[in-house]
Amino acid sequence: MGDRRIVVSAVVMRDDAGRVLTVRKNGSGLFMFPGGKLDDGESHAAAAVREAREEISVELDERSLRRVGTFAADAANEPGHVVVAEVFEHPLVGDPVASAEIAEIAWVDPADRSRDDLAPLLRDEVFPLL
């Protein structure tokens, strides 16, 4: 059966209104944080910086990342798997745009409980803390 865990890094960035940047990947109906799987030998922080560059075309400063915590939830796009995310917060930089495999970005109020298009990690684990 193998390991059912998917280890990722994710980044929380907020706008002036306190909304959080989320991304929807091609072929997915759910929004999640920018981020993704680590490359071999890569630190969580380095992966967060690389994924932000690839997915939303912004350059994060690794020294400005603040660790929020480690969270686990059902994987949004891979049934039967659990995503284990090291989540960082970073000040908003640049002008995030959908790049690479990202179909769409959305700014989401973490207090908005009416949305049904958020990945379980955001909805159930991280947003309640924010």
Side-chain angles (χ1 to χ4, degrees), residues 82-95:
V82 171
V83 64
V84 179
E86 189 76 10
V87 179
F88 298 94
E89 202 157 15
H90 191 282
L92 180 60
V93 291
D95 184 20

Side-chain angles (χ1 to χ4, degrees), residues 27-122:
S28 174
L30 298 177
F31 285 89
M32 56 198 65
F33 297 125
K37 299 173 185 159
L38 283 64
D39 288 343
D40 286 342
E42 190 175 41
S43 71
H44 281 282
V49 170
R50 176 182 51 76
E51 288 284 349
R53 182 184 315 115
E54 292 172 1
E55 293 186 351
I56 55 173
S57 297
V58 297
E59 197 61 44
L60 303 185
D61 181 349
E62 198 170 319
R63 296 165 302 193
S64 296
L65 291 171
R66 185 184 67 78
R67 186 176 177 275
V68 176
T70 303
F71 302 88
D74 289 337
N77 297 325
E78 299 184 50
H81 288 75
V82 171
V83 64
V84 179
E86 189 76 10
V87 179
F88 298 94
E89 202 157 15
H90 191 282
L92 180 60
V93 291
D95 184 20
V97 294
S99 304
E101 75 269 24
I102 303 305
E104 181 183 5
I105 66 171
W107 292 94
V108 177
D109 178 350
D112 180 0
R113 298 286 179 249
S114 67
R115 294 186 69 128
D116 61 0
D117 60 352
L118 299 177
L121 181 80
L122 277 67

